[in-house]
């Protein structure tokens, strides 16, 4: 689905007169592959290059060096630009910057309309997109009457309506309350499971990465670590050195193990923690 080869991205820094006075290397030699149907999480502290990488996947930025292929299409090939953006849909952090329609269903229909689909097909796509994120009952509402989580689901519905192969979500829950976060992450998992859509979830929230197939950890524009959630979250110290933590339940398991309890590392869910603690107590429930 995605092939990144030796990608480098330099931003040009300009002075007040527009003259280039320097460069910032935001991506510093990344190579990675993402297979169709994977659920990928990308972690990394602020400024590690996550959003810059995401914008390469959607052909919003172009390589300074190296190459990015989306479904085999080179992002530098201008004739493929719109097809790349359709196949690799993007959802950003701030829901208020992405919704332009006055009514939910109108907003979801913008993409298919711009693709030049006939009216009845547009309506079918709108229906489909809203159903995928459980927002059909809100279709006639004004977006500004929705909660943050609902707005993000409308943004996702708009992407779904384009029949993408891949959805890139760049910190989609950063501005949401806990219930909004859950809604959005559940919607991403549903699309992955039921539609087989490749998901790339960029997040600050370690809990949200637990359900991924594979995690990339970024630091200073490079891939610092990668592996399954179990492999990544076993490395508490290494993550801390990169300015990151682990899910709360993993940390509890880690601290208990440090105190000498026989708890297999890492713990990823509360069920696992309960089981492990019970096993230490001889498996007797009160
Ligand atoms: N438009 C830009 N112009 C100059 N530097 C930028 C621009 N966008 C991002 N950067 C720099 O690139 C680096 C990576 O930023 P970004 O990809 O936004 O990181 P993240 O999403 O992980 O927080 C940072 O040092 C940031 O300051
Ligand atoms: Mg970012």
């Amino acid at each position: 689905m995605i092939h990144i080869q030796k990608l480098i991205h330099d931003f040009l820094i300009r002075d007040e007169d527009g003259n280039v006075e320097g460069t910032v290397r935001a991506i510093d030699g990344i190579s990675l592959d993402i297979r169709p149907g994977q659920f990928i999480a990308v972690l990394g502290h602020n400024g590690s290059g996550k959003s810059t990488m995401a914008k390469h996947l959607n052909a919003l930025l172009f390589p300074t060096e190296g190459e990015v292929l989306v479904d085999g299409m080179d992002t530098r090939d201008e004739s493929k630009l719109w097809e790349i953006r359709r196949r690799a849909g993007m959802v950003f952090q701030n829901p208020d910057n992405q919704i332009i329609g006055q009514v939910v269903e109108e907003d979801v229909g913008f993409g298919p309309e711009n693709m030049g689909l006939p009216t009845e097909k547009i309506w079918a796509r709108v229906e489909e997109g809203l159903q995928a994120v459980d927002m059909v009952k809100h279709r006639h509402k004004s977006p500004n009457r929705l909660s943050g989580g609902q707005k993000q689901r409308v943004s996702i519905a708009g992407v779904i309506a384009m029949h993408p192969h891949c959805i890139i979500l760049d910190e989609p829950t950063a501005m949401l309350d806990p219930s909004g976060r859950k809604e959005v992450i559940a919607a991403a998992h549903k699309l992955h499971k039921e539609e087989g859509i490749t998901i790339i979830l960029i997040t600050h929230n370690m809990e949200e990465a637990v359900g991924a197939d594979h995690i990339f950890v970024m630091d200073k524009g490079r891939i610092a670590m990668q592996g399954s959630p179990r492999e990544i979250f076993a490395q508490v110290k290494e993550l801390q050195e990169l300015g990151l933590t682990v899910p709360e339940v993993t940390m509890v398991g880690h601290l208990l193990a440090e105190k000498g309890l026989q708890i297999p590392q890492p713990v990823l869910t509360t069920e696992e923690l309960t089981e492990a603690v019970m096993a230490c107590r001889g498996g007797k429930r009160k």
Side-chain angles (χ1 to χ4, degrees):
M1 176 76 228
I2 306 278
H3 173 70
I4 301 182
Q5 185 69 29
K6 296 186 180 156
L7 177 64
I8 289 180
H9 188 92
D10 290 336
F11 283 107
L12 300 180
I13 307 300
R14 294 175 189 276
D15 65 16
E16 288 159 9
D17 304 324
N19 303 311
V20 175
E21 56 176 14
T23 58
V24 173
R25 182 150 293 189
I27 300 288
D28 189 14
I30 285 185
S31 297
L32 62 82
D33 286 283
I34 294 173
R35 291 192 305 277
Q38 279 194 303
F39 193 119
I40 301 290
V42 180
L43 302 173
H45 61 77
N46 262 332
S48 58
K50 303 181 298 300
S51 294
T52 305
M53 185 169 82
K55 287 176 188 154
H56 275 276
L57 304 183
N58 192 242
L60 290 172
L61 290 175
F62 307 100
T64 305
E65 285 177 38
E67 68 175 7
V68 177
L69 304 183
V70 176
D71 259 355
M73 296 178 289
D74 193 319
T75 58
R76 287 168 302 192
D77 180 350
E78 256 178 65
S79 69
K80 300 281 166 54
L81 202 63
W82 294 105
E83 188 56 14
I84 288 174
R85 292 191 185 153
R86 183 188 72 75
R87 290 202 206 179
M90 185 103 162
V91 176
F92 296 96
Q93 190 176 95
N94 188 342
D96 294 317
N97 295 347
Q98 311 179 61
I99 296 187
I100 36 180
Q102 300 294 315
V103 179
V104 166
E105 58 181 10
E106 177 197 2
D107 190 82
V108 176
F110 273 131
E113 197 178 345
N114 284 334
M115 285 165 67
L117 293 178
T119 311
E120 67 275 22
K121 280 233 167 95
I122 296 174
W123 284 116
R125 296 282 188 103
V126 167
E127 184 82 33
E128 207 182 317
L130 289 171
Q131 257 169 18
V133 296
D134 290 324
M135 286 292 291
V136 176
K137 60 179 175 292
H138 301 288
R139 65 187 306 161
H140 300 300
K141 283 196 187 156
S142 157
N144 46 33
R145 300 185 56 113
L146 302 176
S147 70
Q150 289 172 331
K151 284 182 195 166
Q152 282 300 55
R153 280 153 61 203
V154 170
S155 301
I156 295 172
V159 171
I160 294 298
M162 312 272 281
H163 284 182
H165 296 185
C166 170
I167 302 184
I168 303 136
L169 302 116
D170 189 358
E171 303 202 32
T173 64
M175 306 184 74
L176 306 182
D177 62 16
S179 72
R181 288 183 178 188
K182 277 200 191 120
E183 282 171 31
V184 169
I185 298 303
H189 277 288
K190 183 175 169 224
L191 292 172
H192 175 245
K193 214 161 97 192
E194 293 177 7
E195 318 282 337
I197 294 177
T198 309
I199 304 281
I200 301 172
L201 172 66
I202 298 171
T203 179
H204 249 108
N205 183 312
M206 301 298 133
E207 270 78 11
E208 293 176 2
V210 168
D213 300 324
H214 193 83
I215 297 178
F216 292 106
V217 181
M218 291 188 64
D219 184 51
K220 300 192 189 88
R222 298 188 182 170
I223 303 294
M225 298 165 74
Q226 63 169 304
S228 66
R230 210 164 278 288
E231 287 161 351
I232 295 298
F233 291 131
Q235 305 179 61
V236 178
K237 288 223 165 57
E238 290 81 351
L239 285 167
Q240 282 173 342
E241 278 162 19
L242 298 176
L244 299 171
T245 173
V246 295
E248 261 175 39
V249 66
T250 309
M251 187 53 89
V252 172
H254 176 76
L255 294 173
L256 290 175
E258 277 191 343
K259 296 273 178 216
L261 284 193
Q262 295 288 321
I263 295 192
Q265 299 297 303
V267 170
L268 294 185
T269 62
T270 43
E271 290 75 28
E272 275 180 41
L273 183 63
T274 317
E275 290 283 321
V277 170
M278 297 252 299
C280 292
R281 300 172 66 237
K284 280 184 234 114
R285 269 181 204 273
K286 265 222 256 179

